[in-house]
Amino acid sequence: AQSVSQHNHHVILSEAASLELGCNYSYGGTVNLFWYVQYPGQHLQLLLKYFSGDPLVKGIKGFEAEFIKSKFSFNLRKPSVQWSDTAEYFCAVNGNDKIIFGKGTRLHILP
Amino acid sequence: DTGVSQNPRHKITKRGQNVTFRCDPISEHNRLYWYRQTLGQGPEFLTYFQNEAQLEKSRLLSDRFSAERPKGSFSTLEIQRTEQGDSAMYLCASSFSTGKIGTIYFGEGSWLTVV
């Protein structure tokens, strides 16, 4: 069975700080990987996805993530966060026909 | 294309009552998913359809839950004899997939409060 683990449940950063959110997955076969974001009061939105090819993928709003197959990881990064990045971030994995989500990381950016 | 649409957005019901949520996916998306999300948790998979066929149901989906997608377009999720533990946001999502999964797009969700 596939599963997703997000290491940080709550992260607090100041504006301009660098961000890295950890995500590890468990699945024995080929996977597709996703990061979704949920801003306060809004629905889930896709930040970026990895299907194949270059393991470093770039998404919207300056986010990027790196797929490291040997570590079963897909960490999300952003070099300089903004107050508007305050949201909840979900890592997700698809190994077959459905997407399984991690429990999420709540990111709070201090102005 | 207006995205995935769900209604009602909010529903408050008394314990023991039945509720039904509707989801209209993005047109031409052949897959439709239902998830449930509670505070502090990620979305939990409930079930999904490929066109009108319900292909998988989670163990989370008790006998009180039933989902349909009669014509392969919109879908309904019915919860019978609601319990307080059913209080959650019910998310619908859709994708276009041919073999391999495509990007899944989510609706804004339907909040259920059982009192």
Side-chain angles (χ1 to χ4, degrees), chain A residues 19 21 35-48 59-64 76-78 80-90 104-109, chain B residues 9 37 39 43 89 91 106-109 111:
Chain A
L19 170 72
L21 301 182
W35 276 96
Y36 282 83
V37 61
Q38 190 168 29
Y39 297 102
Q42 296 188 27
H43 62 284
L44 283 163
Q45 300 173 41
L46 181 68
L47 263 184
L48 48 79
I60 60 172
K61 304 186 181 186
F63 286 91
E64 65 178 32
L76 181 71
R77 298 194 292 248
K78 185 171 183 178
S80 177
V81 294
Q82 300 172 307
W83 177 79
S84 58
D85 293 325
T86 294
E88 192 152 16
Y89 293 80
F90 296 95
T105 297
R106 186 159 294 180
L107 176 64
H108 188 77
I109 305 299
Chain B
R9 294 290 315 282
Q37 186 177 17
L39 285 175
M89 174 175 290
L91 294 165
F106 283 84
E108 296 190 350
W111 273 108

Side-chain angles (χ1 to χ4, degrees), chain B residues 1-2 5 12-13 15-17 19 21 42-43 54 64 70 72-73 81 83 86 91 105 107 109 112:
Chain B
D1 182 359
T2 57
S5 176
I12 300 174
T13 190
R15 189 174 53 186
Q17 297 295 304
V19 296
F21 299 113
Q54 188 174 19
R64 298 184 296 105
S73 56
R81 305 181 304 281
E83 301 173 356
D86 297 332
L91 294 165
Y105 296 89
L112 173 64

Side-chain angles (χ1 to χ4, degrees), chain A residues 4-96:
Chain A
V4 180
S5 176
Q6 292 184 240
H7 315 304
N8 316 100
H9 297 296
H10 197 182
V11 173
I12 301 174
L13 293 173
S14 297
E15 275 193 309
S18 64
L19 170 72
E20 181 160 3
L21 301 182
C23 172
N24 286 91
Y25 68 92
S26 173
Y27 185 73
T30 302
V31 293
N32 300 321
L33 296 155
F34 307 83
W35 276 96
Y36 282 83
V37 61
Q38 190 168 29
Y39 297 102
Q42 296 188 27
H43 62 284
L44 283 163
Q45 300 173 41
L46 181 68
L47 263 184
L48 48 79
K49 61 187 178 186
Y50 171 80
F51 281 6
S52 64
D54 188 344
L56 183 63
V57 292
K58 295 190 183 298
I60 60 172
K61 304 186 181 186
F63 286 91
E64 65 178 32
E66 185 175 13
F67 170 50
I68 303 180
K69 189 175 181 180
S70 61
K71 295 185 177 179
F72 297 91
S73 70
F74 190 57
N75 292 354
L76 181 71
R77 298 194 292 248
K78 185 171 183 178
S80 177
V81 294
Q82 300 172 307
W83 177 79
S84 58
D85 293 325
T86 294
E88 192 152 16
Y89 293 80
F90 296 95
C91 182
V93 62
N94 150 249
N96 41 45

